[in-house]
Amino acid sequence: MGESVWYITTPIYYPSDSLHVGHAYTTVAADALARYHRLVGDRVLFVTGTDEHGQKIQKKALEKGQKPLEFVTPIVKFIRDPLWKRLGISYDDFIRTTEDRHRHVVQQIFQRLVEQGDIYKGIYEGWYCLPDESYWTESKLVDGNCPDCGRPVEKVTQESYFFRLSHYQNRLHQYILDHPEFIQPTSRRHEMLNFIEAGLEDLSVSRMGVSWGIPVPGDPDHVIYVWFDALTNYLTAAGYLHDTDLFQSAWPANVHLVGKEIVRFHTVIWPIILMALDLPLPDRVFGHGWLLIGQAKMGKSLGNAVDPVELFDRYGVDPLRHYLLREVPFGADGSYTEAALVLRTNVDLANDLGNLLSRTTAMIDRFHQGTVPSLDVGSDDGVLAKEAALVYREVETFMNNLAISDALTSIFRLINRANKYIEEQKPWDLAKRHDGVALDNVLYGLWETLRIVSVLLTPFLLEAPNRIRKQLGLTEPVLQYREALFGFNPSGLSVRREGPLFPRIEWKESVTAGDDTDHAIGVEDFRKLDFRVGTIRTAEIVPGADRLLKLTVFDGSRDRTIVSGIRLHYAPADLIGQQVVVVANLKPATFKGIVSEGMLLAGSHEGELSLVAPIRPLPEGAPVK
Ligand code: MSP
């Protein structure tokens, strides 16, 4: 037996239209998991592909006056390149159900199930939902429509082959009870148990009058039901019946990642096919949530699909991947908005990560002539080393549980711990005091944290890890997860500063004219104001000005000097460490010879004045709008 392979799949997508951000969501998630497992040293088989048969595709092709294969081929080509290529989808195999290798496997399986009596011929009378390619009995319809998607169904009465689901009902039910990890998250497991308890009817697994599909062996008037054909791709790609070595090491699959609407196919029909073939079941079927636009699922049929290639062109691969992987807890539904993508990029990537890198490399440049100090063992306070060790283990646990967004959140907690560490340690003061050992340890700790972050981020982001490493003076790409352990010896390395890791994105949402009156400003005018969260670092009296205080306010990227007319209302010492809202894009103005680079927001009432602050602390630089 070969070395065991960690096998992960995505659904194979219908090439009936171009794919949208919802499809990219599943595929990027599977890619991050695959990359993570490669990094920890697993041999990985990551498979995606296209589900090309069926009535829906046949109909679409006909409408275009094309043969089905002619119709799908350019769409499939586009999915592979540019779509998956640009998003860095590192699949090991891309399976098309129109390939010969797949047709052979499907036909052999079908034949075997006929021979052993699990598939038999009968008459189907019922309903068919064409967009979902699913069969429904009269009693399951809701208001005469498909109970899953609500769209109209068509009546079908014809000779058909049936798959004996009923025969396996109890076995499947017991299996799910005995294997709590098989269907995840748990809510989907409960749904499926209820569905099975309501009783499984034998499933029609062939169609007549549909020419676009894999013919039933020896009975070519029937083509095999597209879902039977599609699910089998997971066996074909694992080498079943044609590559014994691969199959022995790859099957059963570790994870089938699917959207929640197709969990039923993967946890009822699919395991029963496998049981009938005497094959072990996959370890996990994980049904993730939907990306929504407003309240509705993003999808072609609703006309609210967002093109991932456009987003890639506008924002680049890492902001897009980071947003998809981080924004929504994996498993739950979540709203997609472009504004949130911009915000995540500006706050997490540009601000938290980008600034940590630029501040660290700048300080190593300034205080250590650019060479990376080594750790003076024993004199480090261990704050960052401890946090890094914790995050290292958390990321492992989260990734093993497919909690992808939690893993990223942990990594950013480490990044923010390091940002806070700079404020606590004040390397500039250590330099002034010529405290070389302490300064070296702080600088080393920051550098080392960034190196670790570059390792930890490798499964998620494609370009940033190597760009971080380059600035840190590292030349080797990340090869192993274990490199994320604290204590690397940087002797002889020098930092190489470059421009910002992630430039801030200026966000301009196009706004159509509303019912603005003469005195109201449009939202586009309001958006011209750049309000940001800042933290007051120093506050001092301005000699000769009884109303003014001179403040320095850190705005996420730098310290700004702000002269503010609040002296009568606040004692300088009380202001230090307070968060405030800075108007960041005012033209500088001079007061008493001091250039003020912005204003603070404050409310006033009958001579009383109060600075405006976020109710809960926010990272400096977070936009206020
Ligand atoms: N061809 C079948 C799957 C066969 S698998 C043996 C199919 N294809 S599909 O093109 O409709 O893709 C469905 C999958 O795309 C979903 O299961 C999900 O993974 C992804 N998504 C499509 N729209 C989505 C959202 N709005 N949100 C999240 N994922 C979405 O079904």
Coordinates of all heavy atoms in Angstrom, one line a residue, residues 73-150:
T73 N -17.0 23.6 -23.7 CA -15.5 23.6 -23.8 C -14.9 25.0 -23.5 O -14.0 25.1 -22.6 CB -15.0 23.0 -25.0 OG1 -15.5 21.6 -25.0 CG2 -13.5 22.9 -25.1
P74 N -15.3 26.1 -24.1 CA -14.7 27.4 -23.8 C -15.0 27.8 -22.4 O -14.1 28.4 -21.7 CB -15.3 28.3 -24.8 CG -16.4 27.6 -25.5 CD -16.3 26.2 -25.3
I75 N -16.2 27.4 -21.8 CA -16.4 27.8 -20.4 C -15.5 27.1 -19.5 O -14.9 27.7 -18.6 CB -17.9 27.5 -20.1 CG1 -18.9 28.3 -21.0 CG2 -18.2 27.9 -18.6 CD1 -20.3 28.0 -20.8
V76 N -15.3 25.8 -19.8 CA -14.4 25.0 -18.9 C -12.9 25.6 -19.1 O -12.2 25.7 -18.0 CB -14.4 23.5 -19.4 CG1 -13.3 22.7 -18.6 CG2 -15.8 22.9 -19.2
K77 N -12.6 25.9 -20.3 CA -11.2 26.5 -20.5 C -11.1 27.7 -19.6 O -10.0 27.9 -19.0 CB -11.1 26.8 -22.0 CG -9.7 27.0 -22.4 CD -9.6 26.9 -23.9 CE -8.2 27.5 -24.3 NZ -8.2 29.0 -24.3
F78 N -12.1 28.6 -19.6 CA -12.0 29.8 -18.9 C -11.9 29.6 -17.4 O -11.2 30.3 -16.6 CB -13.3 30.7 -19.2 CG -13.2 32.1 -18.6 CD1 -12.6 33.1 -19.3 CD2 -13.7 32.3 -17.3 CE1 -12.6 34.4 -18.7 CE2 -13.7 33.6 -16.7 CZ -13.1 34.6 -17.4
I79 N -12.6 28.5 -16.9 CA -12.6 28.2 -15.5 C -11.2 27.9 -15.1 O -10.7 28.3 -14.0 CB -13.6 27.1 -15.2 CG1 -15.0 27.5 -15.4 CG2 -13.4 26.5 -13.7 CD1 -16.1 26.4 -15.2
R80 N -10.5 27.1 -15.9 CA -9.1 26.7 -15.6 C -8.2 27.9 -15.7 O -7.4 28.1 -14.8 CB -8.6 25.6 -16.5 CG -9.5 24.3 -16.5 CD -9.0 23.3 -17.3 NE -7.8 22.7 -16.8 CZ -7.4 21.4 -16.9 NH1 -8.1 20.6 -17.6 NH2 -6.3 21.0 -16.3
D81 N -8.3 28.6 -16.7 CA -7.5 29.8 -17.0 C -8.2 30.8 -17.8 O -8.7 30.5 -18.9 CB -6.2 29.3 -17.7 CG -5.2 30.4 -18.0 OD1 -5.4 31.5 -17.4 OD2 -4.2 30.1 -18.7
P82 N -8.5 31.9 -17.3 CA -7.8 32.6 -16.1 C -8.4 32.4 -14.7 O -7.7 32.6 -13.8 CB -8.1 34.1 -16.5 CG -9.4 34.1 -17.2 CD -9.4 32.8 -18.0
L83 N -9.6 31.8 -14.6 CA -10.2 31.9 -13.3 C -9.4 31.3 -12.2 O -8.9 31.9 -11.3 CB -11.7 31.4 -13.3 CG -12.4 31.5 -12.0 CD1 -12.5 32.9 -11.5 CD2 -13.8 30.9 -12.2
W84 N -9.3 29.9 -12.2 CA -8.6 29.2 -11.1 C -7.1 29.6 -11.1 O -6.4 29.6 -10.1 CB -8.8 27.7 -11.2 CG -10.2 27.3 -10.9 CD1 -10.7 26.0 -11.3 CD2 -11.2 27.9 -10.2 NE1 -12.0 25.9 -10.8 CE2 -12.4 27.0 -10.2 CE3 -11.4 29.2 -9.6 CZ2 -13.6 27.4 -9.6 CZ3 -12.6 29.5 -9.0 CH2 -13.7 28.6 -9.0
K85 N -6.5 29.8 -12.3 CA -5.1 30.1 -12.4 C -4.8 31.4 -11.6 O -3.9 31.5 -10.8 CB -4.7 30.3 -13.8 CG -3.2 30.3 -14.0 CD -2.8 30.0 -15.4 CE -1.3 30.1 -15.4 NZ -0.8 30.3 -16.8
R86 N -5.6 32.4 -11.9 CA -5.4 33.7 -11.2 C -5.6 33.6 -9.7 O -5.0 34.3 -8.9 CB -6.3 34.8 -11.8 CG -5.9 35.1 -13.2 CD -6.2 36.5 -13.5 NE -5.9 36.6 -15.0 CZ -6.6 37.5 -15.8 NH1 -7.5 38.3 -15.3 NH2 -6.3 37.5 -17.0
L87 N -6.6 32.8 -9.3 CA -6.9 32.7 -7.9 C -5.9 31.8 -7.2 O -6.0 31.5 -6.0 CB -8.3 32.3 -7.6 CG -9.4 33.3 -8.0 CD1 -10.8 32.8 -7.7 CD2 -9.1 34.6 -7.2
G88 N -5.0 31.2 -8.0 CA -3.9 30.3 -7.4 C -4.4 29.0 -6.9 O -3.9 28.4 -6.0
I89 N -5.5 28.5 -7.6 CA -6.1 27.2 -7.2 C -5.1 26.1 -7.5 O -4.9 25.8 -8.7 CB -7.4 27.0 -7.8 CG1 -8.4 28.2 -7.5 CG2 -8.1 25.7 -7.3 CD1 -8.5 28.6 -6.1
S90 N -4.5 25.4 -6.5 CA -3.4 24.5 -6.7 C -4.0 23.1 -6.9 O -3.5 22.2 -6.2 CB -2.5 24.6 -5.5 OG -3.1 24.2 -4.3
Y91 N -5.0 22.9 -7.7 CA -5.5 21.5 -7.8 C -4.5 20.6 -8.4 O -3.7 21.0 -9.2 CB -6.8 21.5 -8.6 CG -6.7 22.1 -10.0 CD1 -6.2 21.4 -11.1 CD2 -7.2 23.4 -10.3 CE1 -6.1 22.0 -12.4 CE2 -7.1 24.0 -11.5 CZ -6.6 23.3 -12.6 OH -6.5 23.8 -13.8
D92 N -4.6 19.3 -8.0 CA -3.7 18.3 -8.6 C -4.4 17.6 -9.8 O -3.7 17.0 -10.6 CB -3.4 17.2 -7.5 CG -2.8 17.9 -6.3 OD1 -1.6 18.3 -6.4 OD2 -3.4 18.0 -5.2
D93 N -5.7 17.7 -9.8 CA -6.4 17.1 -10.9 C -7.6 17.9 -11.2 O -8.3 18.4 -10.3 CB -6.8 15.6 -10.6 CG -7.2 14.8 -11.8 OD1 -7.3 15.4 -12.9 OD2 -7.5 13.6 -11.6
F94 N -7.9 18.1 -12.5 CA -9.2 18.8 -12.9 C -9.9 17.8 -13.7 O -9.5 17.3 -14.8 CB -8.8 20.0 -13.7 CG -10.0 20.9 -14.0 CD1 -10.2 22.0 -13.3 CD2 -10.9 20.5 -15.0 CE1 -11.3 22.8 -13.6 CE2 -12.0 21.3 -15.3 CZ -12.2 22.5 -14.6
I95 N -11.1 17.4 -13.2 CA -11.8 16.3 -13.9 C -13.0 16.9 -14.6 O -13.7 17.7 -14.1 CB -12.3 15.2 -12.9 CG1 -13.0 14.1 -13.6 CG2 -13.1 15.7 -11.7 CD1 -13.1 12.8 -12.8
R96 N -13.1 16.4 -15.8 CA -14.3 16.8 -16.7 C -15.1 15.5 -16.8 O -14.6 14.4 -17.2 CB -13.9 17.3 -18.0 CG -13.0 18.5 -18.0 CD -12.7 19.0 -19.4 NE -13.9 19.3 -20.2 CZ -13.9 19.8 -21.4 NH1 -12.7 20.1 -22.0 NH2 -15.0 20.0 -22.0
T97 N -16.4 15.6 -16.6 CA -17.2 14.3 -16.7 C -17.4 13.8 -18.1 O -17.8 12.7 -18.3 CB -18.6 14.5 -16.0 OG1 -19.2 15.7 -16.6 CG2 -18.5 14.7 -14.5
T98 N -16.9 14.6 -19.1 CA -17.0 14.2 -20.5 C -15.7 13.4 -20.8 O -15.6 12.9 -22.0 CB -17.1 15.4 -21.4 OG1 -16.2 16.4 -21.0 CG2 -18.5 16.0 -21.3
E99 N -14.8 13.2 -19.9 CA -13.6 12.5 -20.3 C -13.9 11.0 -20.3 O -14.7 10.5 -19.5 CB -12.5 12.7 -19.2 CG -11.9 14.1 -19.2 CD -11.0 14.4 -18.0 OE1 -9.9 13.8 -18.0 OE2 -11.4 15.0 -17.1
D100 N -13.1 10.3 -21.2 CA -13.3 8.8 -21.3 C -13.1 8.1 -19.9 O -13.8 7.2 -19.6 CB -12.3 8.2 -22.3 CG -12.7 8.6 -23.7 OD1 -13.9 8.9 -23.9 OD2 -11.9 8.4 -24.6
R101 N -12.0 8.5 -19.2 CA -11.7 7.8 -18.0 C -12.9 7.8 -17.0 O -13.1 6.9 -16.3 CB -10.5 8.5 -17.3 CG -10.7 9.9 -16.9 CD -9.6 10.4 -15.9 NE -9.7 11.9 -15.7 CZ -9.2 12.5 -14.7 NH1 -8.4 11.9 -13.8 NH2 -9.3 13.9 -14.6
H102 N -13.7 8.9 -17.1 CA -14.8 9.0 -16.2 C -16.0 8.1 -16.7 O -16.6 7.4 -16.0 CB -15.2 10.4 -16.0 CG -16.4 10.6 -15.1 ND1 -16.4 10.3 -13.8 CD2 -17.7 11.1 -15.4 CE1 -17.5 10.5 -13.3 NE2 -18.3 11.0 -14.2
R103 N -16.2 8.2 -18.0 CA -17.3 7.5 -18.6 C -17.2 6.0 -18.3 O -18.1 5.3 -17.9 CB -17.4 7.7 -20.1 CG -18.6 7.0 -20.8 CD -18.8 7.5 -22.2 NE -17.6 7.8 -22.9 CZ -16.9 6.9 -23.6 NH1 -17.3 5.6 -23.8 NH2 -15.7 7.2 -24.2
H104 N -15.9 5.5 -18.5 CA -15.7 4.0 -18.2 C -16.1 3.7 -16.8 O -16.7 2.7 -16.5 CB -14.2 3.7 -18.4 CG -13.8 3.8 -19.8 ND1 -14.6 3.3 -20.9 CD2 -12.7 4.3 -20.4 CE1 -14.0 3.5 -22.0 NE2 -12.8 4.2 -21.8
V105 N -15.7 4.5 -15.8 CA -15.9 4.2 -14.4 C -17.4 4.2 -14.1 O -18.0 3.3 -13.5 CB -15.2 5.2 -13.5 CG1 -15.6 5.0 -12.0 CG2 -13.6 5.0 -13.6
V106 N -18.1 5.3 -14.6 CA -19.5 5.4 -14.4 C -20.3 4.2 -14.9 O -21.1 3.6 -14.3 CB -20.1 6.7 -15.0 CG1 -21.6 6.7 -14.8 CG2 -19.5 7.9 -14.3
Q107 N -19.9 3.8 -16.2 CA -20.6 2.7 -16.8 C -20.4 1.3 -16.0 O -21.3 0.5 -15.9 CB -20.3 2.6 -18.3 CG -20.9 3.7 -19.1 CD -20.7 3.5 -20.6 OE1 -19.6 3.1 -21.0 NE2 -21.7 3.9 -21.3
Q108 N -19.1 1.2 -15.6 CA -18.8 -0.1 -14.9 C -19.6 -0.2 -13.6 O -20.1 -1.2 -13.2 CB -17.3 -0.2 -14.7 CG -16.6 -0.6 -15.9 CD -15.1 -0.6 -15.7 OE1 -14.6 -1.6 -15.1 NE2 -14.3 0.4 -16.1
I109 N -19.6 1.0 -12.9 CA -20.3 1.0 -11.6 C -21.8 0.7 -11.8 O -22.4 -0.1 -11.1 CB -20.1 2.3 -10.9 CG1 -18.7 2.5 -10.4 CG2 -21.1 2.5 -9.7 CD1 -18.4 3.8 -9.8
F110 N -22.4 1.4 -12.8 CA -23.8 1.2 -13.1 C -24.1 -0.3 -13.4 O -25.0 -0.9 -12.9 CB -24.2 2.1 -14.3 CG -25.7 2.3 -14.4 CD1 -26.3 3.5 -13.8 CD2 -26.5 1.5 -15.1 CE1 -27.6 3.7 -13.9 CE2 -27.9 1.7 -15.2 CZ -28.4 2.8 -14.6
Q111 N -23.3 -0.8 -14.3 CA -23.4 -2.2 -14.7 C -23.4 -3.2 -13.5 O -24.2 -4.0 -13.3 CB -22.3 -2.6 -15.7 CG -22.3 -4.0 -16.2 CD -23.4 -4.2 -17.2 OE1 -23.8 -3.3 -17.9 NE2 -24.0 -5.4 -17.2
R112 N -22.4 -2.9 -12.6 CA -22.3 -3.8 -11.4 C -23.5 -3.7 -10.5 O -24.0 -4.7 -10.0 CB -21.0 -3.4 -10.6 CG -21.0 -4.1 -9.3 CD -19.6 -3.9 -8.6 NE -19.8 -4.3 -7.2 CZ -18.9 -4.1 -6.2 NH1 -17.8 -3.5 -6.5 NH2 -19.2 -4.4 -5.0
L113 N -24.0 -2.5 -10.4 CA -25.2 -2.3 -9.5 C -26.4 -3.0 -10.1 O -27.3 -3.5 -9.4 CB -25.4 -0.8 -9.1 CG -24.3 -0.2 -8.4 CD1 -24.6 1.2 -7.9 CD2 -23.8 -1.0 -7.2
V114 N -26.5 -2.9 -11.4 CA -27.6 -3.6 -12.1 C -27.5 -5.1 -11.8 O -28.4 -5.8 -11.4 CB -27.6 -3.4 -13.6 CG1 -28.6 -4.3 -14.3 CG2 -27.9 -1.9 -13.9
E115 N -26.3 -5.6 -12.0 CA -26.0 -7.1 -11.9 C -26.3 -7.5 -10.4 O -26.9 -8.6 -10.2 CB -24.6 -7.4 -12.2 CG -24.4 -7.5 -13.7 CD -23.0 -7.5 -14.2 OE1 -22.1 -7.7 -13.3 OE2 -22.7 -7.2 -15.4
Q116 N -26.0 -6.7 -9.5 CA -26.2 -7.2 -8.1 C -27.6 -6.8 -7.6 O -27.9 -7.0 -6.4 CB -25.1 -6.7 -7.1 CG -25.1 -5.2 -6.9 CD -23.8 -4.8 -6.1 OE1 -22.7 -5.4 -6.4 NE2 -23.9 -3.9 -5.2
G117 N -28.4 -6.3 -8.5 CA -29.8 -6.0 -8.1 C -30.1 -4.7 -7.4 O -31.2 -4.4 -6.9
D118 N -29.1 -3.9 -7.2 CA -29.3 -2.6 -6.5 C -29.9 -1.6 -7.5 O -30.4 -0.6 -7.1 CB -28.0 -2.0 -6.0 CG -27.6 -2.7 -4.6 OD1 -28.5 -2.8 -3.8 OD2 -26.4 -3.1 -4.5
I119 N -29.7 -1.8 -8.8 CA -30.4 -0.9 -9.8 C -31.4 -1.8 -10.6 O -31.0 -2.9 -11.0 CB -29.4 -0.2 -10.7 CG1 -28.6 0.8 -9.9 CG2 -30.1 0.4 -11.9 CD1 -27.6 1.6 -10.7
Y120 N -32.6 -1.4 -10.7 CA -33.6 -2.2 -11.4 C -34.4 -1.3 -12.3 O -34.5 -0.1 -12.1 CB -34.5 -3.0 -10.4 CG -35.3 -2.0 -9.5 CD1 -36.6 -1.6 -9.9 CD2 -34.7 -1.6 -8.3 CE1 -37.3 -0.7 -9.0 CE2 -35.4 -0.7 -7.5 CZ -36.7 -0.3 -7.8 OH -37.4 0.6 -7.0
K121 N -35.2 -1.9 -13.3 CA -35.9 -1.1 -14.2 C -37.4 -0.9 -13.7 O -37.9 -1.9 -13.2 CB -35.9 -1.7 -15.6 CG -35.8 -0.8 -16.7 CD -35.5 -1.5 -18.0 CE -35.3 -0.6 -19.2 NZ -35.0 -1.4 -20.4
G122 N -38.0 0.2 -13.9 CA -39.4 0.4 -13.6 C -40.0 1.6 -14.3 O -39.4 2.0 -15.4
I123 N -41.0 2.2 -13.8 CA -41.6 3.3 -14.5 C -41.6 4.5 -13.5 O -42.0 4.3 -12.3 CB -43.1 3.1 -14.8 CG1 -43.3 1.9 -15.8 CG2 -43.8 4.4 -15.4 CD1 -42.8 2.2 -17.2
Y124 N -41.0 5.6 -13.9 CA -41.0 6.8 -13.0 C -42.1 7.7 -13.4 O -42.4 8.0 -14.5 CB -39.7 7.5 -13.2 CG -39.6 8.8 -12.3 CD1 -39.4 8.6 -11.0 CD2 -39.8 10.1 -12.9 CE1 -39.4 9.8 -10.1 CE2 -39.8 11.2 -12.0 CZ -39.6 11.0 -10.7 OH -39.6 12.1 -9.8
E125 N -42.8 8.1 -12.3 CA -43.9 9.1 -12.5 C -43.6 10.1 -11.4 O -43.8 9.8 -10.2 CB -45.2 8.4 -12.3 CG -46.1 8.6 -13.6 CD -47.5 8.3 -13.3 OE1 -47.9 7.1 -13.2 OE2 -48.3 9.3 -13.1
G126 N -43.3 11.3 -11.8 CA -43.0 12.3 -10.8 C -42.6 13.6 -11.4 O -42.9 13.9 -12.6
W127 N -41.8 14.3 -10.7 CA -41.4 15.7 -11.1 C -39.9 15.8 -11.1 O -39.2 15.1 -10.5 CB -42.1 16.7 -10.1 CG -43.6 16.6 -10.1 CD1 -44.3 15.7 -9.3 CD2 -44.5 17.3 -10.9 NE1 -45.6 15.9 -9.6 CE2 -45.8 16.8 -10.6 CE3 -44.3 18.3 -11.9 CZ2 -46.9 17.3 -11.2 CZ3 -45.5 18.8 -12.5 CH2 -46.8 18.3 -12.2
Y128 N -39.5 16.8 -12.0 CA -38.1 17.0 -12.1 C -37.8 18.5 -12.1 O -38.5 19.3 -12.8 CB -37.6 16.5 -13.5 CG -36.1 16.3 -13.6 CD1 -35.5 15.3 -12.9 CD2 -35.3 17.2 -14.4 CE1 -34.1 15.2 -12.9 CE2 -33.9 17.0 -14.5 CZ -33.3 16.0 -13.7 OH -32.0 15.8 -13.8
C129 N -36.8 18.9 -11.3 CA -36.4 20.3 -11.2 C -35.2 20.4 -12.1 O -34.1 19.9 -11.8 CB -36.1 20.7 -9.8 SG -35.3 22.4 -9.8
L130 N -35.3 21.1 -13.2 CA -34.2 21.2 -14.2 C -33.0 22.0 -13.7 O -31.9 21.5 -13.8 CB -34.8 21.7 -15.5 CG -33.7 21.7 -16.6 CD1 -34.1 20.6 -17.6 CD2 -33.6 23.0 -17.3
P131 N -33.2 23.1 -13.1 CA -32.0 23.9 -12.7 C -31.2 23.1 -11.6 O -30.0 23.2 -11.6 CB -32.6 25.2 -12.0 CG -33.9 25.3 -12.6 CD -34.4 23.9 -12.9
D132 N -31.9 22.4 -10.7 CA -31.2 21.6 -9.7 C -30.8 20.2 -10.2 O -30.1 19.4 -9.5 CB -32.0 21.4 -8.4 CG -32.1 22.7 -7.6 OD1 -31.4 23.7 -8.0 OD2 -32.9 22.7 -6.6
E133 N -31.4 19.8 -11.3 CA -31.3 18.4 -11.8 C -31.7 17.4 -10.7 O -31.0 16.5 -10.4 CB -29.9 18.1 -12.3 CG -29.4 19.0 -13.4 CD -29.7 18.6 -14.8 OE1 -30.6 17.7 -15.0 OE2 -29.1 19.1 -15.8
S134 N -32.9 17.6 -10.1 CA -33.3 16.7 -9.0 C -34.7 16.3 -9.2 O -35.6 17.0 -9.7 CB -33.1 17.4 -7.7 OG -33.9 18.5 -7.6
Y135 N -35.0 15.0 -8.8 CA -36.3 14.4 -8.8 C -37.1 14.7 -7.6 O -36.5 14.7 -6.5 CB -36.1 12.9 -9.0 CG -35.6 12.4 -10.3 CD1 -34.3 12.1 -10.4 CD2 -36.4 12.2 -11.4 CE1 -33.8 11.6 -11.6 CE2 -35.9 11.8 -12.6 CZ -34.6 11.5 -12.7 OH -34.1 11.0 -13.9
W136 N -38.4 14.9 -7.7 CA -39.2 15.1 -6.5 C -40.6 14.3 -6.7 O -41.1 14.3 -7.8 CB -39.5 16.6 -6.3 CG -38.3 17.3 -6.0 CD1 -37.6 18.2 -6.8 CD2 -37.6 17.3 -4.7 NE1 -36.6 18.7 -6.2 CE2 -36.5 18.2 -4.9 CE3 -37.8 16.7 -3.5 CZ2 -35.6 18.5 -3.9 CZ3 -36.9 16.9 -2.5 CH2 -35.8 17.8 -2.7
T137 N -41.0 13.7 -5.6 CA -42.4 13.2 -5.7 C -43.4 14.3 -5.4 O -43.0 15.3 -4.8 CB -42.5 12.1 -4.6 OG1 -42.2 12.7 -3.3 CG2 -41.7 10.9 -4.8
E138 N -44.6 14.0 -5.9 CA -45.7 15.1 -5.7 C -45.7 15.6 -4.3 O -45.8 16.8 -4.1 CB -47.0 14.4 -6.1 CG -48.2 15.2 -6.0 CD -48.6 15.8 -7.4 OE1 -48.3 15.1 -8.4 OE2 -49.2 16.8 -7.4
S139 N -45.7 14.7 -3.3 CA -45.9 15.1 -1.9 C -44.8 16.0 -1.4 O -45.0 16.8 -0.5 CB -46.0 13.9 -1.0 OG -44.7 13.2 -1.1
K140 N -43.6 16.0 -2.0 CA -42.5 16.8 -1.5 C -42.6 18.3 -2.0 O -41.9 19.2 -1.5 CB -41.2 16.2 -1.8 CG -40.9 14.9 -1.1 CD -39.8 15.2 0.0 CE -39.7 14.2 1.1 NZ -39.3 12.9 0.6
L141 N -43.3 18.5 -3.1 CA -43.4 19.8 -3.8 C -44.0 20.8 -2.8 O -44.8 20.5 -2.0 CB -44.2 19.8 -5.0 CG -43.7 18.8 -6.1 CD1 -44.6 19.0 -7.4 CD2 -42.2 19.1 -6.5
V142 N -43.5 22.1 -2.9 CA -44.1 23.1 -2.1 C -44.8 24.1 -3.1 O -44.1 24.7 -3.9 CB -42.9 23.9 -1.3 CG1 -43.5 25.1 -0.6 CG2 -42.3 22.9 -0.4
D143 N -46.1 24.2 -2.9 CA -46.9 25.0 -3.9 C -46.7 24.6 -5.3 O -46.6 25.4 -6.2 CB -46.6 26.5 -3.7 CG -47.0 27.0 -2.3 OD1 -47.8 26.4 -1.7 OD2 -46.3 28.0 -1.9
G144 N -46.4 23.3 -5.5 CA -46.2 22.8 -6.9 C -44.8 23.1 -7.4 O -44.5 22.8 -8.6
N145 N -43.9 23.7 -6.6 CA -42.6 24.0 -7.0 C -41.5 23.2 -6.3 O -41.8 22.5 -5.3 CB -42.3 25.5 -6.8 CG -43.2 26.4 -7.7 OD1 -43.4 26.0 -8.8 ND2 -43.6 27.5 -7.1
C146 N -40.3 23.3 -6.8 CA -39.2 22.6 -6.2 C -39.0 23.0 -4.8 O -38.9 24.2 -4.5 CB -37.9 22.9 -7.0 SG -36.4 22.3 -6.2
P147 N -39.0 22.0 -3.8 CA -38.8 22.4 -2.4 C -37.5 23.0 -2.1 O -37.3 23.7 -1.1 CB -39.1 21.1 -1.7 CG -38.8 20.0 -2.7 CD -39.1 20.6 -4.0
D148 N -36.5 22.7 -2.9 CA -35.1 23.3 -2.6 C -35.0 24.7 -3.1 O -34.6 25.6 -2.4 CB -34.1 22.4 -3.3 CG -33.5 21.4 -2.4 OD1 -34.0 21.3 -1.2 OD2 -32.6 20.6 -2.8
C149 N -35.3 24.9 -4.4 CA -35.0 26.3 -5.0 C -36.3 27.1 -5.3 O -36.2 28.2 -5.7 CB -34.1 26.1 -6.2 SG -35.0 25.4 -7.6
G150 N -37.5 26.5 -5.2 CA -38.7 27.2 -5.4 C -39.1 27.4 -6.8 O -40.1 28.1 -7.1

